[in-house]
Amino acid sequence: MRNPFGRRDTAAAPGNGTGSTSTGPDTGDGAGLGSTGARSTGTGTGTGRGRPRVPATQHRAARACLAVVAGALPALAFPAPALWWFAYVALVPWLLLLRTAPTARRAALEGWLGGVGFALAAHQWLMPSMHVFILVVAALIGLLWLPWGWLVRAMLGDGPSGPRAAAAILVVPSGWLLIELARSWEGLGGPWGLLGASQWQVAPALRLASVGGVWLVSLLVVAVNTAVALLVVSAAAVRMTALVGLVVCALTVGVVWWGVAPPREQGSARIAVVQPGVYDGAVGAERRFDRGERLTRELVGQDLDLVVWGESSVGSDLTARPDLAARLAALSRAVDAPILVNVDARRSDRPGIFKSSVLIGAEGPTGDRYDKMRLVPFGEYIPARPVLGWVTSVGKAANEDRRRGTEPVVMTLPPKDGEAALRIGPLVCFESAFPDMSRRLTRDGADVLIAQSATSTFQDSWAPAQHASLAALRAAETGRPMVHATLTGVSTVYGPDGGRVGTPLGTDRSAAAVYDVPLARSTTGYVRYGDWVLYGALSVLAALCAAEGMGTLRRPASELRAPRARTARGSRGRHER
């Protein structure tokens, strides 16, 4: 007979003298093996055919390992591997594992373990800095996937019906989207490794981002994974539902590609990026400045609108070091363009160390300054430092917390040759990962987004390429070009449609490069309507909860209180319906 969860319960039957046999999974011990009448405690003939039975503890351990590995697979879709196509099937092994979990509690556990695997793989470049502490961080971040594991089993497990499979194609991605929203909180490391960001070089996906941000791309990718998982394991009727789901995903992309026009270019700006390729040593700040100065002088006569230096390119407050300010002003006059530098130093006009984008003109600092607002936890500051200050002894966190800025800043450059003044919106380091920050700058009137970064600590990892790729998403979302300038690479530029402009500067380069950056002033759907996809995901999950709750309320009270029946061997079961 079939229990309420769709699994087939088989009563005990005589075997070949070795014991009872069962064809159904064991829903009581969490292992999914053995009969429903008795748990397996060791090896034996089991089915009566001489096939050894795997001990339940070994089976649970194997599933746990598989969960960690399956959760880590999506990391291959991001740079540096950049297997973007793999993102559309990378979740399938994890989904299949979760749907076969013998209990809801086991599914939640395997959701957490997969989340740990994803966090470790997506942030593996932090290992040299955080050492063993990254395991603790991954375990905490992985908790976000715990309810998702339960949700996947509830929607996909026990041979879902056609309507439930159709709902799953929307519900499972909505649950994933809420995880990405929670991870986007700065205190949890920020929105690094959002699944939609793996599609940074796929033009149709970038067009989707212009409508609903990276969230819409993530939703589509997880929906495709869910439909593929249903195709693999479901009955013919449900497979048709899965095929319809895939067709709907494809039609969504096609409609957006056909119906949403790309940003219309209106002029261009000549922007130079200076990448010194120097960052360490006892006098690293002086070396960076000197090298940046020499490279900038090579740009004389290039008819530039702006020169951009990377993060921490200046190591002293310019008010306290008028000699450095004078050298930068002389550079600005030589290249006939303002220079955007980044100062990582203790300020003379207020307490604490700030990371600040500072605009330099022909007469020195113009007064335009942006102080970084969102800081890297366990990098630029230690949460609860009185308790966790010891982290600085095992990692590479700052010995003193950086201070936060209070508001975004849009800077206006001096107009040239009667042209309209160019307005730039600076971001510092991993702030380029936050969709809301670039959207805010665009709404405030920025024509060009600038990200000043320094991934020099992680040069031999996937981090530089992955960080640079985020600029493509921010450009596509806002319809504004984005310049990603670093100390040591990768420095690159993306146009208002998210397409790459010119040739990037890799981590092996110490050079200055000039880019003709196309401009656009149209407003994208994401800039206009914001995070509507997230609100939609919340609505879907709220509707699911309401539907499940109403279903429970409509059950007869006697059914809710019905005692469990016992099988022939005395194990607990459920009444047949």
Side-chain angles (χ1 to χ4, degrees):
M1 63 184 177
R2 188 170 293 275
N3 68 21
F5 295 99
R7 293 187 173 89
R8 184 171 300 279
D9 296 330
T10 304
N16 61 357
T18 59
S20 64
T21 60
S22 172
T23 60
D26 181 359
T27 60
D29 65 359
L33 289 177
S35 71
T36 57
R39 297 181 183 179
S40 172
T41 57
T43 58
T45 58
T47 63
R49 298 178 182 177
R51 188 167 52 193
R53 179 180 297 165
V54 180
T57 54
Q58 291 184 19
H59 187 264
R60 285 193 291 265
R63 287 185 64 97
C65 293
L66 286 174
V68 174
V69 173
L73 290 178
L76 297 175
F78 298 96
L83 304 177
W84 63 266
W85 52 268
F86 184 60
Y88 294 94
V89 294
L91 293 178
V92 172
W94 195 4
L95 291 170
L96 296 179
L97 186 71
L98 293 174
R99 74 172 294 276
T100 59
T103 65
R105 183 171 62 181
R106 184 70 193 183
L109 173 64
E110 290 170 358
W112 171 65
L113 291 172
V116 172
F118 181 87
L120 287 173
H123 298 86
Q124 46 81 25
W125 47 274
L126 286 173
M127 291 181 184
S129 297
M130 301 185 69
H131 302 294
V132 70
F133 193 70
I134 194 174
L135 297 176
V136 179
V137 173
L140 292 175
I141 294 177
L143 291 173
L144 295 173
W145 279 272
L146 190 147
W148 188 73
W150 173 88
L151 180 66
V152 170
R153 181 183 183 274
M155 298 304 298
L156 301 183
D158 300 320
S161 63
R164 196 163 190 86
I169 296 175
L170 191 56
V171 169
V172 171
S174 296
W176 181 278
L177 217 57
L178 292 193
I179 297 172
E180 294 198 335
L181 175 61
R183 287 201 300 123
S184 297
W185 178 47
E186 173 194 345
L188 291 179
W192 189 276
L194 301 185
L195 199 56
S198 66
Q199 306 303 296
W200 63 278
Q201 55 187 332
V202 182
L206 293 173
R207 193 73 58 83
L208 278 176
S210 73
V211 174
V214 67
W215 315 114
L216 183 56
V217 185
S218 286
L219 188 77
L220 180 80
V221 171
V222 183
V224 171
N225 275 273
T226 306
V228 172
L230 287 168
L231 279 176
V232 171
V233 298
S234 300
V238 176
R239 286 177 187 156
M240 182 58 65
T241 302
L243 284 173
V244 171
L246 290 174
V247 170
V248 170
C249 290
L251 286 176
T252 301
V253 176
V255 168
V256 171
W257 180 259
W258 176 78
V260 178
R264 185 166 60 90
E265 296 183 9
Q266 295 179 298
S268 64
R270 284 179 65 81
I271 298 177
V273 172
V274 174
Q275 180 176 295
V278 177
Y279 58 90
D280 56 3
V283 290
E286 289 80 1
R287 293 175 60 209
R288 291 195 298 269
F289 191 97
D290 292 343
R291 181 61 177 165
E293 185 178 33
R294 288 196 297 272
L295 291 173
T296 303
R297 290 197 178 278
E298 297 176 3
L299 299 171
V300 174
Q302 295 280 350
D303 189 25
L304 301 173
D305 293 295
L306 177 68
V307 178
V308 184
W309 287 18
E311 180 187 9
S312 303
S313 48
V314 178
S316 301
D317 183 72
L318 295 176
T319 303
R321 291 288 304 273
D323 57 320
L324 296 181
R327 289 167 64 182
L328 289 170
L331 279 179
S332 177
R333 292 192 297 271
V335 298
D336 191 26
I339 304 173
L340 186 70
V341 300
N342 188 271
V343 179
D344 183 4
R346 192 176 305 279
R347 291 185 60 164
S348 58
D349 58 341
R350 63 178 64 178
I353 300 175
F354 290 80
K355 285 193 173 182
S356 307
S357 300
V358 178
L359 189 64
I360 308 295
E363 304 302 322
T366 65
D368 288 321
R369 180 185 189 117
Y370 165 67
D371 297 322
K372 186 178 183 181
M373 298 170 61
R374 296 182 183 174
L375 304 176
V376 180
F378 300 103
E380 295 167 334
Y381 77 101
I382 301 294
R385 184 176 282 270
V387 178
L388 300 176
W390 56 270
V391 172
T392 59
S393 64
V394 297
K396 296 182 180 180
N399 292 321
E400 180 179 345
D401 290 349
R402 275 21 181 192
R403 301 295 183 92
R404 302 175 188 273
T406 57
E407 60 182 1
V409 175
V410 174
M411 304 176 182
T412 303
L413 307 184
K416 297 183 67 174
D417 302 327
E419 299 178 354
L422 189 67
R423 307 189 74 195
I424 62 172
L427 298 167
V428 182
C429 193
F430 92 139
E431 287 183 331
S432 65
F434 293 87
D436 65 301
M437 297 195 73
S438 54
R439 177 174 179 257
R440 169 67 184 276
L441 288 171
T442 303
R443 291 175 67 89
D444 288 347
D447 299 312
V448 180
L449 303 174
I450 307 288
Q452 295 175 297
S453 174
T455 53
S456 48
T457 305
F458 315 107
Q459 285 299 95
D460 298 323
S461 72
W462 296 351
Q466 189 170 346
H467 195 183
S469 71
L470 296 176
L473 269 297
R474 304 293 85 83
E477 289 169 341
T478 60
R480 298 294 182 268
M482 188 162 194
V483 177
H484 182 84
T486 73
L487 287 180
T488 55
V490 176
S491 296
T492 188
V493 177
Y494 294 94
D497 62 349
R500 178 174 281 162
V501 176
T503 303
L505 297 175
T507 55
D508 59 341
R509 298 289 304 280
S510 175
V514 178
Y515 298 90
D516 289 311
V517 182
L519 303 177
R521 286 174 170 76
S522 56
T523 302
T524 65
Y526 178 69
V527 170
R528 182 178 290 113
Y529 301 113
D531 299 326
W532 62 269
V533 177
L534 293 175
Y535 299 131
L538 283 168
S539 300
V540 166
L541 294 177
L544 173 70
C545 292
E548 293 295 324
M550 293 299 292
T552 300
L553 291 175
R554 285 195 298 267
R555 293 180 188 173
S558 59
E559 180 180 327
L560 293 176
R561 293 194 299 267
R564 291 188 175 186
R566 292 183 178 271
T567 65
R569 292 186 60 83
S571 64
R572 297 189 67 83
R574 291 184 182 268
H575 286 298
E576 181 181 6
R577 295 182 183 175

